[in-house]
Amino acid sequence: MLDIPSSVRVDVEALLAAQNHMGVCDAIEQYAPVERPETMTTPHLPKVAGIDSTVPPPAHTAAPASPSPAPPSSPEAPGAPGALIQDRLAGWVSDLTTLHELTERLARTAVMDDALHEVLRAGAALVGARRGLVVLEPADGLGPDTTVGLGLARADLGHIETVPRGATSYGRILDRTDGTGEPEVHADLLSEAGLDPRHREVAARLGYAASFALPLATEAAGRLGAAVWLYDEPAEPVERQRHLVGLYTRYATEHLARLLELERARTKSRTIAEELLPPRLPRVAGVQLAARHRTGPRGGGDWYDALPLPEGALGLAVGSVTGSGASAVAAMGRLRASLRAYAVMEGEDPVAVLSDLELLLRLTEPARSATALFAYCEPALRKIVLAGAGHSPPLVIGERRTEFVETSLSAPLGMLACWEAPSVEFSPEPGETVLLYTDGLLHRTGDPMDRAFARLHAAAAGVPRTIRDDPGAIADHVLHTVLPDGLDAADSDEDVVLLAARFE
């Protein structure tokens, strides 16, 4: 009988499990050591950064060449129990480190598209593939349905989608009743006798010879989609690689389910906010209109309106309700609808319109405040009368001037017991554009308000002559100049509204 020192004594069944390449988590859970070693004999492993080398990076999965065996008398010989256990423990630690780093990287993603790309990259490293695709198709049918590729251009994905759905790995997974089950493995696609001719043609065109597909599904999250990794040569992942990628995809599915729920909530909020805004701008003789609206991920209370009034007049309004989320969107809808009613009844007096709006807000929503600006325009006379309640002044953009309209300083609606401020009147010249906007445009810059106003003025003054006759192009130029580096489209807690009116 072997005399095994207590420092390396383990349960025999654990050793057998290690020899059979049992997954690290299963083996550790089922076969714990009978007692804690007196001293740690395993050498201290170096800190692993990035993807651990135990996961093979090349596109094939051929086993590496075996190292030269040590002399039988050596304590590190393959037959020595201590060396075998040490190697297995080192492999388990390496696997756990790799999974920990990959799941941490995935957990840092906050957008569905970023998460799908991360799942593809991590899965490719775990199974030793170079390319792949994820098909997101939730089983509840509520969407969103999308396909994301790794190492595949949009045209390549289009070629793959021409293959009949039932002939693809992801199609068979998604068409299952529960969307779960065993992975789809095709170790040598081009030599398969029953392979669909179109699939064979696409595989040859794109240069892949094998595939490994897994469902993105758990009992709690249901079926979300399927992931497929493609090999350049005939190959398939070994049992250990399958076990690791299975653990990873189970975690990834739960993370994707949370992002999916958040994405759907954001989409609903955006849809409701857009439906509460004008579906189209009116056509009024003597003036051209354009509007731009950017909303935050939670939905905000910024709004705009343009409505034709009696005798060829036009009412223009922008405003912002405090708060965010569904309650702010609902309050915005109520406030905009009320302003439209007051504008029809007494639009020629903007102060009276805002006074009525302030009274309504104070009586119906005493815990909320709002800013608003209403302008009564007579395009035939090129005359504008406006009043503002805590709102930023409009900006006049023309050939000879770019300046802010001087308005009286006033408090927002709902802040005082009785709101009232004098109106101002001005006349834009032919070809000039009046730009109305909300404070979100200034807040998104991240600058102090004086610098944000200076940036807005510089952007308006720099509008090219070639686009000055197009209010939509003017609004786009101002938006992209004031908010560079894609900040005009990025998620932010601040809503942005621009309403441009060019007078002929």
Side-chain angles (χ1 to χ4, degrees):
M1 181 177 178
L2 275 175
D3 183 16
I4 300 176
S6 59
S7 59
V8 295
R9 186 181 304 152
V10 297
D11 188 51
V12 176
E13 292 181 346
L15 178 58
L16 293 176
Q19 291 173 332
N20 289 327
H21 297 276
M22 178 173 289
V24 56
C25 296
D26 294 340
I28 291 176
E29 180 180 355
Q30 296 180 24
Y31 304 112
V34 295
E35 61 180 6
R36 185 174 179 175
E38 298 173 359
T39 59
M40 180 60 70
T41 58
T42 304
H44 202 66
L45 294 175
K47 184 178 180 180
V48 179
I51 304 301
D52 193 83
S53 59
T54 57
V55 179
H60 57 79
T61 57
S66 301
S68 301
S73 59
S74 171
E76 301 300 325
L84 180 60
I85 295 166
Q86 179 174 310
D87 290 344
R88 294 304 179 203
L89 288 177
W92 291 351
V93 171
S94 176
D95 290 347
L96 286 174
T97 303
T98 300
L99 285 175
H100 175 70
E101 292 189 358
L102 292 178
T103 52
E104 266 199 340
R105 196 180 305 169
L106 178 63
R108 287 194 291 268
T109 59
V111 181
M112 178 63 73
D113 191 63
D114 294 343
L116 293 176
H117 280 95
E118 181 58 36
V119 169
L120 280 176
R121 285 191 292 266
L126 289 172
V127 301
R130 188 173 64 88
R131 294 179 290 175
L133 67 151
V134 167
V135 179
L136 187 68
E137 190 176 302
D140 57 13
L142 300 179
D145 297 347
T146 185
T147 302
V148 174
L150 172 68
L152 297 170
R154 186 174 296 274
D156 299 333
L157 294 175
H159 284 306
I160 293 175
E161 289 175 352
T162 63
V163 179
R165 182 182 175 96
T168 61
S169 298
Y170 67 83
R172 286 190 289 270
I173 289 176
L174 295 176
D175 289 340
R176 293 171 185 168
T177 304
D178 56 357
T180 61
E182 295 298 319
E184 288 274 342
V185 184
H186 298 275
D188 192 352
L189 273 170
L190 300 181
S191 65
E192 285 189 11
L195 189 66
D196 185 273
R198 180 57 185 164
H199 195 177
R200 189 186 307 276
E201 178 184 346
V202 170
R205 177 192 292 265
L206 301 184
Y208 64 89
S211 66
F212 176 74
L214 278 176
L216 296 176
T218 62
E219 185 176 348
R223 190 212 71 199
L224 300 184
V228 186
W229 290 277
L230 306 174
Y231 297 94
D232 296 341
E233 302 171 357
E236 64 178 296
V238 298
E239 183 62 30
R240 172 174 155 271
Q241 291 174 315
R242 295 190 190 189
H243 182 70
L244 289 176
V245 77
L247 292 174
Y248 177 80
T249 53
R250 282 199 290 273
Y251 172 84
T253 301
E254 297 293 339
H255 181 71
L256 292 175
R258 291 189 290 270
L259 291 182
L260 180 63
E261 184 178 356
L262 181 60
E263 180 105 352
R264 287 175 174 176
R266 289 176 175 176
T267 301
K268 289 179 181 178
S269 180
R270 273 195 302 267
T271 302
I272 293 173
E274 290 170 359
E275 290 296 325
L276 291 174
L277 295 174
R280 64 181 63 86
L281 296 173
R283 294 179 178 269
V284 178
V287 65
Q288 295 176 295
L289 299 174
R292 299 293 183 265
H293 180 229
R294 302 287 187 271
T295 185
R298 294 182 295 175
D302 286 18
W303 52 275
Y304 68 92
D305 205 352
L307 66 156
L309 296 174
E311 301 179 358
L314 174 69
L316 300 177
V318 292
S320 177
V321 176
T322 56
S324 61
S327 62
V329 172
M332 175 266 288
R334 292 191 292 269
L335 204 66
R336 173 179 168 266
S338 301
L339 185 139
R340 290 176 69 91
Y342 298 144
V344 170
M345 293 186 294
E346 47 192 6
E348 68 279 358
D349 185 359
V351 172
V353 172
L354 294 185
S355 296
D356 292 341
L357 196 64
E358 192 275 339
L359 178 61
L360 176 72
L361 184 70
R362 182 155 42 90
L363 294 176
T364 59
E365 301 190 50
R368 196 181 296 275
S369 63
T371 65
L373 185 146
F374 178 74
Y376 179 79
C377 309
E378 296 178 86
L381 303 176
R382 289 197 307 278
K383 185 177 78 171
I384 300 177
V385 180
L386 65 86
H391 207 82
S392 299
L395 185 61
V396 179
I397 306 171
E399 292 288 342
R400 298 182 178 85
R401 61 172 176 169
T402 300
E403 61 186 23
F404 292 101
V405 177
E406 292 188 9
T407 58
S408 58
L409 185 64
S410 63
L413 302 176
M415 298 292 289
L416 301 177
C418 181
W419 177 90
E420 187 171 347
S423 61
V424 296
E425 180 180 325
F426 68 99
S427 298
E429 297 294 331
E432 289 187 333
T433 298
V434 179
L435 184 67
L436 283 66
Y437 54 93
T438 58
D439 292 343
L441 177 65
L442 306 174
H443 292 317
R444 275 204 188 194
T445 63
D447 293 336
M449 291 302 288
D450 56 342
R451 293 182 59 184
F453 274 115
R455 178 183 288 191
L456 174 59
H457 185 276
V463 173
R465 292 180 179 272
T466 55
I467 65 172
R468 286 182 179 266
D469 58 348
D470 183 354
I474 292 175
D476 288 333
H477 174 83
V478 170
L479 186 63
H480 299 329
T481 305
V482 174
L483 301 176
D485 303 325
L487 291 176
D488 59 308
D491 285 344
S492 171
D493 290 339
E494 298 287 346
D495 284 10
V496 174
V497 164
L498 283 85
L499 180 60
R502 181 183 181 274
F503 290 83
E504 300 174 351

